[in-house]
Amino acid sequence: MKRTKEIKVRLSDEEFEKLNQDVLESGLSREEYVRSLLRKVVPSSKPSPDFIETIKQLRMIGNNLNQIAVIAYKTKSIDVVRYKKEMLLLQNEIKHILDLYNEPIQLEER
């Protein structure tokens, strides 16, 4: 889309700092952030490194469980030790996600 229109907006120091902080947390450019607000969509914060690592671990565990299922189907038996190990990892990662989700959010001081 070709964008040819430009606007100029004056902000107080506090408003400018708040906008910059929100933009930084979203991972978007300032322009894209404001465009999102115009579409009545408030951009969420980009995922934390902990969250990204947790998703990566869950994908690996899911892949391992799928491999166990394929072998179990082909051989009509299952590696119980390996299966229990992967299930324990899965349960731990789910607990980690819940801990991250339930972590208190520090409000900004005014």
Side-chain angles (χ1 to χ4, degrees):
M1 173 185 315
K2 191 171 186 180
R3 293 187 169 99
T4 59
K5 305 299 180 199
E6 184 178 328
I7 61 170
K8 184 174 183 175
V9 178
R10 295 189 185 277
L11 302 173
S12 68
D13 288 341
E14 287 178 6
E15 291 168 332
F16 189 68
E17 285 178 29
K18 172 74 170 121
L19 175 62
N20 284 338
Q21 183 62 37
D22 291 347
V23 166
L24 181 65
E25 289 175 8
S26 74
L28 300 174
S29 68
R30 188 179 296 133
E31 293 79 6
E32 189 54 40
Y33 186 87
V34 171
R35 284 188 208 104
S36 292
L37 295 176
L38 289 172
R39 292 189 302 269
K40 298 182 181 181
V41 175
V42 178
S44 59
S45 298
K46 61 184 173 184
S48 71
D50 277 346
F51 181 80
I52 292 170
E53 179 61 27
T54 300
I55 295 301
K56 179 182 171 186
Q57 293 296 324
L58 286 173
R59 286 184 176 140
M60 289 174 21
I61 293 167
N63 186 45
N64 290 345
L65 289 171
N66 188 50
Q67 290 174 1
I68 292 169
V70 167
I71 292 169
Y73 178 77
K74 287 180 181 179
T75 64
K76 307 259 191 283
S77 67
I78 188 165
D79 182 346
V80 176
V81 173
R82 183 172 174 215
Y83 180 78
K84 284 184 178 182
K85 177 184 169 194
E86 293 300 325
M87 282 304 296
L88 183 60
L89 285 171
L90 179 60
Q91 289 170 346
N92 288 340
E93 288 300 321
I94 290 170
K95 182 184 179 312
H96 184 67
I97 289 172
L98 291 173
D99 290 345
L100 288 174
Y101 179 78
N102 291 322
E103 189 174 287
I105 298 171
Q106 183 68 41
L107 296 176
E108 295 177 28
E109 292 186 27
R110 290 227 163 218

